[in-house]
Each structure stands twice: as C-alpha cells, then as structure tokens.
C-alpha cells in the first residue's frame, strides 16, 4: 500500500538474439531469500487464498517460447520481475526499420 509500481519495456539485442524485455518492479516488502528459491514451484504460496500456480505457469509459458523470467528482490525494499522473450523479425518489418519506417504495420512475432 502506498508503494511505487514501475513498468519498463525495451528492445534488446546481444548480437545473436534480439528480444523484448519487460521489467515490473515495486517498492513493497520484497521477497525473502528462503522464498525466492520456491516461488516458481507449482503449488507454492504464502497467501491464504490461491493455488500457487500463477508464477509456475507464467514461467513455463515464457520458457516454452525461448524466454526467461528472472527475479531480483531485496527483502524489505521491493522486487523486480524481468520477462525476456526473443523476437523473430519478419523481412517486411526489418525492411521498414532499415528505411526508418514502421515496416508493414505488424508487430514482431514472439517465438
């Protein structure tokens, strides 16, 4: 309550794989080290309600698309989840970017 939520997105390219990175962070209470090792496990939860499947399912989907989900957290200071997904550029889109345009108006495809 009363914290700050930030969302950032950017294109990344390490020379061999282009991708899109989305970072979602907060200034909340953070996640204890003992819990960080478990939060991506199915059915793990610290809440009274819920199944503990949310992060496990999200992580599995991201991995299936060749991406990754990472967590940075300081207990008592907040957390940042980073989702990275590879981007497959279509030839038409790449040609548009080379000319400084927006290509064919379609978004890059994930996968």
């Amino acid at each position: 309550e009363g914290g700050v939520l930030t969302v950032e997105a950017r294109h990344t390219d390490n020379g061999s794989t282009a991708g899109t990175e989305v970072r979602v962070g907060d200034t909340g209470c953070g996640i204890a080290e003992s819990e960080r090792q478990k939060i991506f496990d199915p059915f793990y939860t610290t809440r009274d309600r819920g199944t503990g499947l949310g992060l496990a399912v999200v992580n599995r989907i991201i991995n299936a698309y060749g991406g990754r989900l990472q967590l940075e957290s300081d207990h008592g200071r907040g957390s940042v989840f980073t989702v990275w997904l590879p981007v497959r550029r279509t030839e038409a889109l790449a040609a548009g970017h080379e000319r400084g345009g927006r290509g064919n108006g379609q978004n890059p495809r994930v996968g």
Side-chain angles (χ1 to χ4, degrees), residues 39-73:
I39 63 169
F40 297 110
D41 293 343
F43 304 108
Y44 178 77
T45 184
T46 60
R47 310 221 182 241
D48 294 334
R49 295 176 32 168
T51 62
L53 288 174
L55 286 173
V57 170
V58 167
N59 193 36
R60 195 167 195 171
I61 291 169
I62 291 169
N63 285 329
Y65 280 96
R68 63 184 173 270
L69 175 61
Q70 296 175 314
L71 166 66
E72 301 167 51
S73 186

Side-chain angles (χ1 to χ4, degrees), residues 23-99:
R23 295 171 52 91
V24 179
D26 67 33
T27 58
C29 62
I31 301 170
E33 177 68 34
S34 60
E35 293 177 2
R36 281 184 242 160
Q37 305 301 317
K38 303 174 192 173
I39 63 169
F40 297 110
D41 293 343
F43 304 108
Y44 178 77
T45 184
T46 60
R47 310 221 182 241
D48 294 334
R49 295 176 32 168
T51 62
L53 288 174
L55 286 173
V57 170
V58 167
N59 193 36
R60 195 167 195 171
I61 291 169
I62 291 169
N63 285 329
Y65 280 96
R68 63 184 173 270
L69 175 61
Q70 296 175 314
L71 166 66
E72 301 167 51
S73 186
D74 289 325
H75 189 60
R77 299 188 71 197
S79 301
V80 177
F81 284 90
T82 302
V83 175
W84 180 87
L85 290 168
V87 175
R88 183 179 66 222
R89 296 175 58 174
T90 64
E91 287 185 36
L93 181 61
H97 283 288
E98 290 170 6
R99 291 189 312 267

Side-chain angles (χ1 to χ4, degrees), residues 1-32:
E1 291 183 39
V4 176
L5 179 68
T6 58
V7 179
E8 302 172 290
R10 67 185 183 114
H11 174 76
T12 63
D13 191 343
N14 65 9
S16 62
T17 307
T20 297
E21 179 181 275
V22 178
R23 295 171 52 91
V24 179
D26 67 33
T27 58
C29 62
I31 301 170

